[in-house]
């Protein structure tokens, strides 16, 4: 187990959003005492609600089956994870304290930034909390570093728990501290600048020296920390033998902490509002988030709130600057009246207008180009007005993408008449909403109608209660937030077990990019089994991703259930799980094996990550007898062919049986199949043709892409790369035509003939776009960088930031290939024979 405390709250830089809502919130943040809040504690406990018992009867958790040694080893893991997050916490407190001294110094001068009273209110008890934790950390650290089985540290936790009174004082003052800080920010520009960017030191062993965090986010940390300490006590007790001297001390510390938590939660339960259900119970907010609704034929972004007994769909009203923001209720459905129509019942529902892939890809490129412009402006200390303009443009583009990319229908029907349709980009999210609603519907619910006043009060409470504050676009992220990973994630889905009965099973993988989740890969269906063994490897491109989700489905072969709408997923989700992609953990060269538990099902998988610059290296092959990593001229000469055999064979096979495959060349084949084909081609094995005819078509397409990607120099050559970049940037069509044709003519013959051969093939693939969904633009996006990206020596100059990958260079590489794909047929002989063959009067 990997006990990294707070993997979902802390991203090792402490940039999480405060869960409390300081602005205009009359309530305090709720502190969860349940042990299941720990992200890695017990997937089982989280799914079924049977949380970890706070005081196990036996210190080893499972009736002494586990040997004491393992328990003690787990203690070390728990403690080292906790120490790492304790170090982050101390750095955060330090960052809060840093401005306090200079502020105090100016308070007594003629031009104070804040008065002493204001400083006292905002920084109340922070110094004391810092000293308590610093002392705790300094005592615990050496014990963990010089670990042996006799180490005792229960007294340290007991002492920490006995000092919780300081937190009580901090919590009581928290609301007023936030309000004071907010007021001072508005009235004093200097303080506003200070509180917007507090510098938090990075952990000792991280590359990040500092990150900027707002004061508001930092003031929330102590509240969050109390819960963390309680969670670690649960885990320590679980892995401490009952006869260990620490056991009674840890039990005592846990008892104190839990009592403390319940005492402050009685004072500050934020989910209580003036709104009650028809039965007189309090109506609580269970889940909220942004969804795209298809309303009167157009897509609208809505904020959807799920309360104990009602689903409410709202939009944020436009308000004047400085005015309080308010929600406007579009519609609501009491859960007692809410049903999910099955696909066959929803045939009369409006058809979903799906935006073509190439338009979405175009927009992603635009966004990435703006991102790199913002980076450049920042690097050159550009004007803040220019940066703001770019950011505004980026927000508009990202908003368009968020609105237009979702295509999975999520239908909701009110028994009394109306149906509503949301579009989601991720089946995982759709099932989360569905499950949350179904769980509430198990209770005895009553139907009702809200009076206009009740509806007003309920909608008014949405602003205070919401947990999702920002539209999920990257332009809303603070600069100090982790930008996510850019590169390639290799995932092997090994197997799964825990199914009650045999079924036809498959998995899909989703990752987040551009702020929302999309499905990136799918295993084959394993027929009629309770223990599927997929062992399939996928290469998934990450564009600023932070999480990986795995969904496990049972395949539905029932024809009556299959909907005409191609985005309707009728297969049944058997389980789903998610893990954070921690840049530190993932970026090792080795495979990292992991298990996701979901609904009693365990899925085993391994992953490793290759950053952009690593994955873009072209490394010549050591042995020149094969075809991969060997110059194309060497291969064609050896084969006495014009086009390498591997290119001809793969293309022939794709045209024979893959030209109508949805997403051909875009969907990644199974990596182990691709490696097998690579080995066969390299060895020039007699069985190549037999193997090709049996192999999954996506693996064959993947082998062709890999061949071009591993050429020691790109097909369109290093030498001509700068000229291609200049040619594509010309604006005069005649000049561009002349230049682009002249460049083709300048290619060595094997390169040119192979390129023209591939070009004609890709055009034939795109002719089937209505079926395979691969436009010329999609194909240019897939192949452009593969055919043009310079090799190692050349690319040093071109590769800067990893996130610049979708920047100018790659966009230009795609445009070059697109130019030739959209061009009327180009003949090798005409090209060579007549240099002036191409007319210039375009």
């Amino acid at each position: 187990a990997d006990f990294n405390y707070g993997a979902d709250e802390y991203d090792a830089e402490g940039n999480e959003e405060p869960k409390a809502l300081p602005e205009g919130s009359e309530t305090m943040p709720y502190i969860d005492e349940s042990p299941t809040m720990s992200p890695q504690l017990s997937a089982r406990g989280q799914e079924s609600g049977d949380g970890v018992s706070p005081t196990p009867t036996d210190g080893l958790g499972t009736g002494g089956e586990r040997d004491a040694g393992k328990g003690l080893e787990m203690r070390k893991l728990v403690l080292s994870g906790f120490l790492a997050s304790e170090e982050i916490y101390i750095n955060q407190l330090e960052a809060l304290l840093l401005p306090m001294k200079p502020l105090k110094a100016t308070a007594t001068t003629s031009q104070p930034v804040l008065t002493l009273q204001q400083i006292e209110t905002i920084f109340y008890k922070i110094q004391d909390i810092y000293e308590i934790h610093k002392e705790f950390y300094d005592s615990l650290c050496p014990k963990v570093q010089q670990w042996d089985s006799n180490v005792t540290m229960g007294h340290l936790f007991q002492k920490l728990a006995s000092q919780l009174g300081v937190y009580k004082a901090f919590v009581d003052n928290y609301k007023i501290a936030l309000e004071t800080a907010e007021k001072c920010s508005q009235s004093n520009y200097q303080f506003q600048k200070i509180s917007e960017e507090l510098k938090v030191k990075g952990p000792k062993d991280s590359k990040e020296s500092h990150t900027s965090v707002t004061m508001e986010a930092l003031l929330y940390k102590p509240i969050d920390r109390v819960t963390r300490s309680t969670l670690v006590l649960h885990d320590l007790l679980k892995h401490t033998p009952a006869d260990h001297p620490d056991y009674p001390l840890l039990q005592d510390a846990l008892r104190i902490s839990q009592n403390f938590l319940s005492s402050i939660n009685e004072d500050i339960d934020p989910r209580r509002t003036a709104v009650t259900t028809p039965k007189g119970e309090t109506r609580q907010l269970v889940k909220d988030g942004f969804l795209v609704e298809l309303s009167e034929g157009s897509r609208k972004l809505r904020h959807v709130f799920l309360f104990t007994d009602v689903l409410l769909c709202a939009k944020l009203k436009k308000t004047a600057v400085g005015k309080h923001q308010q929600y406007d209720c579009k519609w609501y459905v009491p859960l007692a009246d809410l049903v999910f129509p099955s696909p066959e019942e929803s045939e009369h529902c409006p058809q979903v207008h799906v935006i073509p892939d190439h338009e979405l890809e175009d927009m992603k490129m635009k966004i990435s180009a703006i991102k790199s412009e913002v980076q450049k402006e920042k690097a050159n200390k550009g004007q803040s007005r220019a940066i703001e303009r770019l950011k505004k443009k980026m927000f508009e583009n990202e908003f368009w993408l968020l609105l237009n990319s979702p295509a999975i229908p999520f239908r909701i029907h009110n028994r009394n008449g109306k149906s509503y349709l949301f579009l989601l980009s991720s089946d995982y999210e759709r099932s989360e909403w569905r499950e949350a609603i179904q769980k509430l519907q198990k209770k005895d619910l009553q139907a009702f109608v809200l009076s206009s006043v009740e509806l007003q009060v309920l909608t008014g409470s949405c602003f205070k209660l919401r947990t999702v504050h920002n539209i999920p676009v990257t332009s809303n992220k603070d600069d100090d937030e982790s930008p996510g990973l850019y590169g390639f994630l290799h995932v092997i889905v090994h197997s799964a077990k825990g199914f009650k009965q045999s079924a036809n099973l498959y998995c899909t993988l989703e990752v987040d990019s551009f702020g929302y989740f999309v499905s990136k890969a799918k295993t084959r269906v394993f027929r009629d089994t309770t223990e599927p063994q997929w062992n399939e490897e996928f290469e998934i491109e990450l564009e600023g991703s932070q999480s990986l989700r795995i969904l496990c489905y049972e395949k539905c072969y029932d024809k009556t259930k299959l909907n005409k709408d191609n985005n309707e997923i009728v297969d049944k989700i058997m389980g789903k799980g998610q893990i954070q992609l921690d840049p530190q953990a993932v970026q090792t060269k080795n495979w990292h094996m992991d298990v996701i538990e979901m609904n009693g099902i365990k899925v085993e998988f391994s992953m490793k990550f290759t950053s952009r610059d690593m994955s873009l290296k072209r490394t010549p092959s050591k042995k020149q007898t094969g075809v991969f990593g060997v110059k194309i001229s060497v291969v064609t000469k050896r084969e006495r062919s014009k086009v390498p055999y591997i290119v001809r064979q793969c293309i022939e096979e794709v045209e024979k049986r893959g030209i109508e495959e949805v997403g051909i060349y875009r969907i990644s084949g199974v990596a182990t199949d691709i490696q097998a084909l690579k080995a066969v081609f390299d060895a020039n094995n007699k069985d190549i043709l037999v193997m090709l005819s049996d192999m999954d078509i996506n693996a064959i397409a993947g082998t062709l892409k890999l061949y071009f990607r591993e050429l020691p120099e790109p097909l369109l050559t290093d030498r001509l790369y700068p000229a291609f970049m200049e040619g594509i940037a010309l604006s005069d069509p005649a000049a561009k035509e002349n230049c682009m044709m002249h460049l083709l003519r300048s290619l060595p013959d094997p390169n040119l003939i192979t390129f023209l051969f591939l070009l004609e093939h890709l055009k034939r693939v795109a002719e089937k776009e209505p079926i395979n969904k691969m436009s010329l633009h999609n194909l240019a996006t897939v192949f452009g960088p593969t055919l043009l990206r310079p090799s190692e020596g050349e690319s040093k100059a071109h590769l800067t930031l990893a996130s610049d990958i979708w920047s100018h260079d790659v966009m230009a590489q795609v445009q070059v290939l697109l130019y030739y794909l959209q061009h009327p047929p180009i003949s090798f002989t005409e090209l060579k024979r007549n240099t002036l063959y191409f007319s210039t009067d375009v």
Side-chain angles (χ1 to χ4, degrees):
D2 169 16
F3 285 86
N4 171 7
Y5 271 84
D8 56 354
E9 253 85 13
Y10 288 94
D11 59 341
E13 294 165 4
N15 302 326
E16 94 279 9
E17 283 291 306
K19 286 187 240 40
L21 218 207
E23 50 205 76
S25 167
E26 283 98 71
T27 49
M28 281 292 302
Y30 179 67
I31 297 180
D32 191 336
E33 308 156 50
S34 68
T36 45
M37 224 187 87
S38 165
Q40 275 94 352
L41 257 180
S42 139
R44 188 198 71 244
Q46 287 176 359
E47 291 289 352
S48 57
D50 57 10
V52 182
S53 91
T55 45
T57 46
D58 164 21
L60 291 171
T62 53
E65 286 163 27
R66 245 176 269 174
D67 61 311
K70 180 146 185 230
L72 293 167
E73 193 46 41
M74 292 298 281
R75 287 174 78 217
K76 185 188 175 185
L77 282 172
V78 172
L79 284 167
S80 39
F82 185 60
L83 261 182
S85 72
E86 190 72 3
E87 182 194 346
I88 292 166
Y89 179 47
I90 290 168
N91 290 346
Q92 290 164 341
L93 293 171
E94 233 171 23
L96 254 184
L97 289 170
L98 204 62
M100 192 170 84
K101 291 194 183 77
L103 285 170
K104 273 189 174 165
T106 64
T108 50
T109 63
S110 56
Q111 286 186 309
V113 179
L114 301 182
T115 65
L116 279 170
Q117 179 58 51
Q118 288 168 327
I119 296 168
E120 182 55 37
T121 306
I122 294 171
F123 298 97
Y124 187 63
K125 293 294 178 194
I126 301 285
Q127 184 71 45
D128 298 357
I129 292 175
Y130 170 75
E131 282 162 13
I132 289 169
H133 281 269
K134 184 85 178 87
E135 184 192 341
F136 171 75
Y137 179 84
D138 291 344
S139 318
L140 185 59
C141 198
K143 286 179 180 287
V144 177
Q145 281 166 351
Q146 292 136 31
W147 181 260
D148 71 42
S149 54
N150 301 323
V151 164
T152 59
M153 40 64 207
H155 57 289
L156 299 177
F157 278 93
Q158 198 182 26
K159 184 174 178 188
L160 188 64
S162 69
Q163 294 166 308
L164 281 170
V166 176
Y167 276 91
K168 172 84 173 112
F170 174 84
V171 166
D172 290 343
N173 180 69
Y174 172 75
K175 190 165 159 259
I176 189 157
L178 272 185
E179 283 167 4
T180 310
E182 179 66 20
K183 277 188 195 129
C184 296
S185 269
Q186 285 167 355
S187 57
N188 187 309
Y189 180 69
Q190 257 178 302
F191 183 66
Q192 187 188 350
K193 290 307 286 174
I194 295 169
S195 62
E196 273 173 5
E197 280 203 25
L198 291 172
K199 293 276 181 275
V200 177
K201 252 192 337 219
K204 283 196 279 288
D205 50 356
S206 86
K207 293 190 197 76
E208 292 285 329
S209 56
H210 282 83
T211 50
S212 302
V213 186
T214 63
M215 183 173 287
E216 181 188 306
L218 288 181
L219 280 171
Y220 183 72
K221 302 295 177 193
I223 287 185
D224 199 44
R225 197 66 199 162
V226 187
T227 316
R228 290 267 155 260
S229 315
T230 313
L231 291 174
V232 84
L233 286 166
H234 274 285
D235 276 358
L236 279 174
L237 267 171
K238 217 165 107 187
H239 299 294
T240 303
D243 54 1
H244 192 286
D246 273 346
Y247 194 77
L249 301 173
L250 291 171
Q251 254 183 331
D252 191 41
L254 180 62
R255 186 183 49 76
I256 299 170
S257 304
Q258 282 186 318
N259 290 344
F260 171 73
L261 281 182
S262 12
S263 74
I264 56 176
N265 277 339
E266 278 162 22
D267 307 340
I268 55 161
D269 187 343
R271 305 257 166 131
R272 304 278 172 234
T273 63
V275 188
T276 52
T277 65
K279 288 180 161 177
E281 293 162 4
T282 314
R283 186 173 274 141
Q284 295 182 9
L285 177 66
V286 178
K287 181 177 171 63
D288 68 304
F290 289 98
L291 295 181
V292 172
E293 185 188 9
L294 198 63
S295 163
E296 292 164 3
S298 64
R299 292 166 179 254
K300 308 273 193 224
L301 192 69
R302 305 289 194 219
H303 199 147
V304 181
F305 295 86
L306 174 61
F307 288 93
T308 325
D309 63 340
V310 62
L311 184 77
L312 184 138
C313 175
K315 71 170 229 198
L316 208 53
K317 277 200 230 173
K318 287 195 170 71
T319 47
V321 181
K323 276 273 172 55
H324 225 33
Q325 281 194 301
Q326 279 296 327
Y327 280 99
D328 193 6
C329 173
K330 300 308 287 179
W331 50 264
Y332 70 91
V333 180
L335 298 190
D337 294 329
L338 188 152
V339 283
F340 299 111
S342 59
E344 57 272 23
E345 289 167 345
S346 48
E347 280 171 14
H348 57 276
C349 282
Q351 271 300 305
V352 180
H353 169 59
V354 179
I355 305 284
D357 266 354
H358 66 88
E359 286 186 32
L360 298 174
E361 290 303 325
D362 268 352
M363 187 54 86
K364 287 180 185 177
M365 286 186 167
K366 272 188 199 158
I367 292 166
S368 303
I370 298 173
K371 271 187 193 166
S372 48
E373 276 183 61
V374 171
Q375 299 289 359
K376 276 190 203 116
E377 283 287 344
K378 283 185 177 163
N380 303 335
K381 300 279 183 283
Q383 292 179 342
S384 57
R385 195 181 293 158
I387 294 177
E388 280 315 305
R389 207 170 41 243
L390 286 169
K391 280 194 167 174
K392 183 169 183 277
K393 186 86 193 122
M394 184 158 99
F395 176 80
E396 285 165 7
N397 289 347
E398 289 199 305
F399 187 78
W400 182 91
L401 197 59
L402 192 71
L403 210 53
N404 289 294
S405 54
I408 300 173
F410 174 42
R411 305 173 196 277
I412 277 166
H413 180 67
N414 185 336
R415 275 200 184 91
N416 305 324
K418 234 181 143 188
S419 287
Y420 304 96
L421 171 60
F422 291 112
L423 297 174
L424 280 71
S425 60
S426 142
D427 198 25
Y428 191 101
E429 263 147 64
R430 180 170 74 159
S431 85
E432 277 188 324
W433 278 100
R434 190 174 281 160
E435 282 164 22
I437 291 169
Q438 284 167 339
K439 192 173 168 189
L440 293 167
Q441 286 180 326
K442 284 185 180 141
K443 298 178 183 147
D444 176 24
L445 295 169
Q446 289 180 359
F448 56 85
V449 176
L450 294 174
S451 71
S452 58
V453 174
E454 284 174 318
L455 186 59
Q456 213 173 342
V457 174
L458 185 61
T459 312
S461 73
C462 288
F463 189 81
K464 284 190 309 218
L465 295 177
R466 62 184 185 164
T467 62
V468 182
H469 305 148
N470 289 328
I471 296 168
V473 292
T474 51
S475 26
N476 270 338
K477 276 190 179 177
D478 297 331
D479 294 342
D480 59 1
E481 277 189 67
S482 158
L485 295 169
Y486 287 83
F488 293 93
L489 184 69
H490 298 264
V491 182
I492 302 176
V493 182
H494 297 293
S495 59
K497 47 178 179 283
F499 297 97
K500 303 278 185 290
Q501 57 227 51
S502 286
N504 304 312
L505 302 163
Y506 69 93
C507 284
T508 63
L509 305 177
E510 292 184 353
V511 294
D512 53 329
S513 62
F514 294 93
Y516 57 90
F517 278 86
V518 276
S519 183
K520 287 281 195 175
K522 177 178 174 180
T523 67
R524 64 187 188 283
V525 178
F526 213 99
R527 294 281 188 117
D528 203 17
T529 179
T530 54
E531 294 203 0
Q533 302 280 331
W534 294 287
N535 293 317
E536 288 185 67
E537 184 185 328
F538 302 95
E539 179 185 84
I540 296 173
E541 189 170 1
L542 302 184
E543 296 165 297
S545 311
Q546 295 178 331
S547 308
L548 167 73
R549 291 170 166 179
I550 296 187
L551 293 97
C552 191
Y553 290 91
E554 179 179 355
K555 180 79 182 150
C556 165
Y557 289 108
D558 178 351
K559 286 282 182 289
T560 60
K561 288 206 174 117
L562 299 181
N563 195 347
K564 300 174 184 63
D565 186 348
N566 17 351
N567 286 296
E568 188 74 68
I569 299 168
V570 293
D571 298 337
K572 183 178 164 199
I573 296 184
M574 305 297 284
K576 60 185 195 317
Q578 168 170 328
I579 53 161
Q580 296 299 105
L581 297 174
D582 170 20
Q584 268 74 37
V586 180
Q587 278 174 332
T588 55
K589 293 207 168 53
N590 307 328
W591 287 96
H592 165 72
M593 177 106 169
D594 213 334
V595 173
I596 280 190
E597 287 203 36
M598 35 180 158
N599 275 354
I601 299 163
K602 287 183 177 179
V603 177
E604 277 197 4
F605 65 100
S606 301
M607 57 182 181
K608 67 176 179 184
F609 171 72
T610 320
S611 65
R612 282 280 185 200
D613 28 2
M614 286 306 294
S615 62
L616 297 186
K617 279 185 180 157
R618 291 183 184 270
T619 37
S621 171
K622 301 253 187 317
K623 49 180 215 297
Q624 291 294 301
T625 51
V627 290
F628 281 81
V630 179
K631 281 187 175 167
I632 196 164
S633 55
V634 173
V635 173
T636 47
K637 195 171 174 186
R638 185 197 321 138
E639 293 178 354
R640 298 197 179 88
S641 63
K642 290 194 162 96
V643 174
Y645 179 68
I646 179 172
V647 176
R648 296 195 313 265
Q649 285 313 125
C650 290
I651 284 179
E652 189 180 316
E653 203 60 37
V654 169
E655 295 204 354
K656 204 187 300 175
R657 59 192 178 92
I659 202 145
E660 295 192 346
E661 182 82 12
V662 174
I664 186 76
Y665 289 120
R666 186 175 57 79
I667 286 175
S668 56
V670 177
T672 36
D673 290 350
I674 295 172
Q675 289 308 319
L677 280 171
K678 176 182 174 179
V680 171
F681 275 112
D682 267 343
N684 195 14
N685 192 309
K686 297 190 295 297
D687 306 331
I688 289 179
L689 293 176
V690 179
M691 230 178 127
L692 277 177
S693 57
D694 287 346
M695 195 58 89
D696 172 54
I697 199 65
N698 286 319
I700 294 168
T703 306
L704 182 65
K705 285 192 298 185
L706 185 70
Y707 168 71
F708 286 119
R709 198 157 79 208
E710 289 196 355
L711 280 175
E713 89 159 341
L715 187 64
L716 299 187
T717 71
D718 283 331
R719 182 176 62 86
L720 295 176
Y721 181 74
F724 276 114
M725 292 298 102
E726 282 166 13
I728 198 65
L730 293 170
S731 6
D732 174 49
K736 185 187 265 190
E737 164 85 357
N738 240 345
C739 174
M740 297 302 273
M741 290 306 136
H742 172 68
L743 286 171
L744 284 189
R745 215 172 291 123
S746 316
L747 285 169
D749 280 5
N751 298 56
L752 175 57
I753 297 169
T754 303
F755 178 65
L756 295 177
F757 188 74
L758 176 67
L759 208 56
E760 290 313 305
H761 164 63
L762 294 178
K763 287 181 183 180
R764 286 192 291 273
V765 171
E767 280 167 13
K768 299 279 186 195
E769 184 194 352
I771 305 168
N772 64 26
K773 306 279 188 279
M774 290 303 284
S775 60
L776 289 174
H777 192 290
N778 284 356
L779 292 163
T781 307
V782 171
F783 276 96
T786 305
L787 300 177
L788 276 132
R789 191 194 63 251
S791 54
E792 179 65 345
E794 300 296 313
S795 65
K796 270 285 181 276
H798 301 287
L799 271 171
T800 45
L801 264 177
S803 52
D804 272 1
I805 181 63
W806 270 119
S807 62
H808 189 69
D809 263 17
V810 174
M811 286 177 71
Q813 290 161 14
V814 171
Q815 291 306 320
V816 168
L817 181 54
L818 191 57
Y819 181 84
Y820 293 122
L821 282 169
Q822 289 170 338
H823 195 280
I826 303 164
S827 135
F828 175 78
T829 43
E830 292 288 357
L831 198 59
K832 285 290 189 185
R833 190 180 65 211
N834 187 351
T835 37
L836 295 172
Y837 164 72
F838 290 100
S839 106
T840 48
D841 56 331
V842 177

